Amino acid sequence: MTGRATIHDVAAEAGVSVATVSKAVNGRYGIAPATIKRVMEVVERLGYESSLVASSMRSRRTGVVGVLVADFEPFSAEILKGVGAALHDSELDLLAYSGTRQRESEGWERRSLSRLSGTLIDGAIMVTPTVLSASTDIPIVAVDPHTGRADLPTVESDSFGGALQATRHLIELGHRRIGFVAGRPDLRSSILREAGYRQALREADIPFTPELVRVGRYEPGEAREHTTTLLANPNPPTAIFAANDISAIAVLKLAASMGLSVPRDLSVVGFDDIPEASQISTPLTTVRQSMQRLGSEAVTLLLSLMNGETTDAAHIRLATSLIQRATTAPPPDGR
């Protein structure tokens, strides 16, 4: 055979279809072990280099970094941008991976890593994981980690400080009944944002009112549902701090549907500063976390681990800042 072997050459030599070759070299299900063995023997014999697996059989490296996300939403999209930028001048490729219905299944990361590690990726970045432990031979870094014991290196933002700034801002404007739409209870970021909210209330001698706190799980549908409950209260909040921008934007849409004017009737603050926050008709006051930098810092940490280096900064926390726009103002007269 002359020239570089192709997937068609492998299929013909092994006596299988091209689809079967693809499944075999990428570790997919639905192929008999004997068939996989035969295909991989042909891959090795012919020197089929198009497959990441075939290359790794020689070098033990695939040259690919994986980013595992539960869903491709604005936060994870910004993380991916930061990862991509950090890898731009390297020889590494980026694989963004999201399994089916992952956000509804605790421990999805373990299943995904078992499919990818050692065959498709040399290291992984997990975004908002549900767990912080995984049995794998590849280095892993977690972004916005789970609340459990931090067995993995992590990169996160100062959620406590950001929430403290947001709530202080509303208090300084004169608000005393401030609702809080919390995030995912399994994430450290959510717990710290509620802690920052409560600390700001304590500093201002404002009693904590449980009925003003609802768990929106960082999801717009749940945020809208719980905000409906908050605003239906006989003594509703004059301001709402939402634990992420997606939830805050859902609050703004609900307020508009109820005939409320923002910020005249209701002030709203978000968290993240996703691109949409500054692009909506009433630009959102929010806490900015550098999401792309979260991604780039995760890459720096991961590459050190992949190169066998030790690092003193296994847990990185980035600063946040309040960005004042058009959705906050003093409370209505008499409120």
Side-chain angles (χ1 to χ4, degrees):
M1 181 181 296
T2 60
R4 178 175 295 180
T6 69
I7 191 170
H8 297 279
D9 297 325
V10 174
E13 183 75 11
V16 297
S17 68
V18 168
T20 296
V21 174
S22 177
K23 289 180 180 180
V25 298
N26 288 293
R28 296 174 186 165
Y29 298 110
I31 307 177
T35 302
I36 295 175
K37 182 175 182 294
R38 184 167 75 254
V39 169
M40 296 310 294
E41 287 174 349
V42 173
V43 164
E44 177 69 8
R45 186 168 68 252
L46 297 185
Y48 175 48
E49 297 293 346
S50 296
S51 165
L52 293 174
V53 177
S55 298
S56 69
M57 291 173 66
R58 297 160 184 75
S59 66
R60 306 294 298 175
R61 298 290 288 266
T62 67
V64 178
V65 167
V67 179
L68 281 61
V69 299
D71 194 17
F72 291 106
E73 37 72 41
F75 177 78
S76 62
E78 291 300 305
I79 299 292
L80 284 167
K81 289 179 185 177
V83 172
L87 292 174
H88 184 268
D89 294 327
S90 75
E91 296 181 353
L92 296 169
D93 291 327
L94 168 63
L95 172 67
Y97 184 87
S98 176
T100 304
R101 300 177 67 82
Q102 288 185 152
R103 77 169 92 184
E104 300 176 10
S105 177
E106 183 175 337
W108 59 264
E109 302 88 352
R110 293 192 183 101
R111 292 188 294 276
S112 298
L113 286 169
S114 69
R115 295 171 181 170
L116 301 175
S117 62
T119 56
L120 288 179
I121 59 176
D122 295 327
I125 296 170
M126 301 193 303
V127 180
T128 60
T130 61
V131 295
L132 264 186
S133 62
S135 298
T136 177
D137 294 331
I138 65 171
I140 302 172
V141 173
V143 175
D144 194 6
H146 182 259
T147 58
R149 180 184 167 205
D151 293 331
L152 300 176
T154 60
V155 182
E156 60 189 318
S157 295
D158 182 6
S159 287
F160 177 85
L164 188 65
Q165 292 178 75
T167 312
R168 281 175 175 170
H169 170 62
L170 293 170
I171 292 170
E172 290 166 359
L173 288 172
H175 294 277
R176 291 297 178 269
R177 282 186 65 79
I178 302 170
F180 178 58
V181 179
R184 271 174 48 185
D186 63 311
L187 289 182
R188 190 153 69 214
S189 64
S190 179
I191 293 174
L192 290 172
R193 288 172 201 181
E194 181 170 343
Y197 162 78
R198 291 192 183 210
Q199 176 62 25
L201 296 181
R202 280 194 296 270
E203 290 177 352
D205 292 324
I206 299 174
F208 172 73
T209 307
E211 68 182 22
L212 293 180
V213 176
R214 294 290 184 271
V215 179
R217 301 187 62 83
Y218 294 144
E219 296 288 342
E222 294 197 37
R224 182 183 180 93
E225 176 184 344
H226 291 302
T227 301
T228 301
T229 303
L230 286 173
L231 296 179
N233 191 298
N235 186 17
T238 60
I240 292 178
F241 169 37
N244 73 341
D245 285 348
I246 293 177
S247 297
I249 291 171
V251 171
L252 294 176
K253 291 179 179 177
L254 176 64
S257 71
M258 297 177 66
L260 298 175
S261 174
V262 174
R264 186 188 64 199
D265 301 319
L266 178 72
S267 287
V268 179
V269 179
F271 199 113
D272 285 339
D273 198 25
I274 61 175
E276 292 85 346
S278 61
Q279 296 167 2
I280 54 179
S281 57
T282 305
L284 179 67
T285 295
T286 188
V287 175
R288 174 179 293 166
Q289 61 170 328
S290 181
M291 293 170 286
Q292 292 191 27
R293 189 179 168 204
L294 286 172
S296 64
E297 291 285 349
V299 168
T300 299
L301 184 52
L302 182 64
L303 294 183
S304 295
L305 297 172
M306 289 170 59
N307 291 329
E309 301 170 5
T310 58
T311 175
D312 295 329
H315 304 288
I316 299 171
R317 179 174 296 148
L318 304 181
T320 53
S321 59
L322 180 70
I323 306 299
Q324 298 184 39
R325 297 195 179 104
T327 58
T328 51
D333 293 341
R335 297 279 299 278

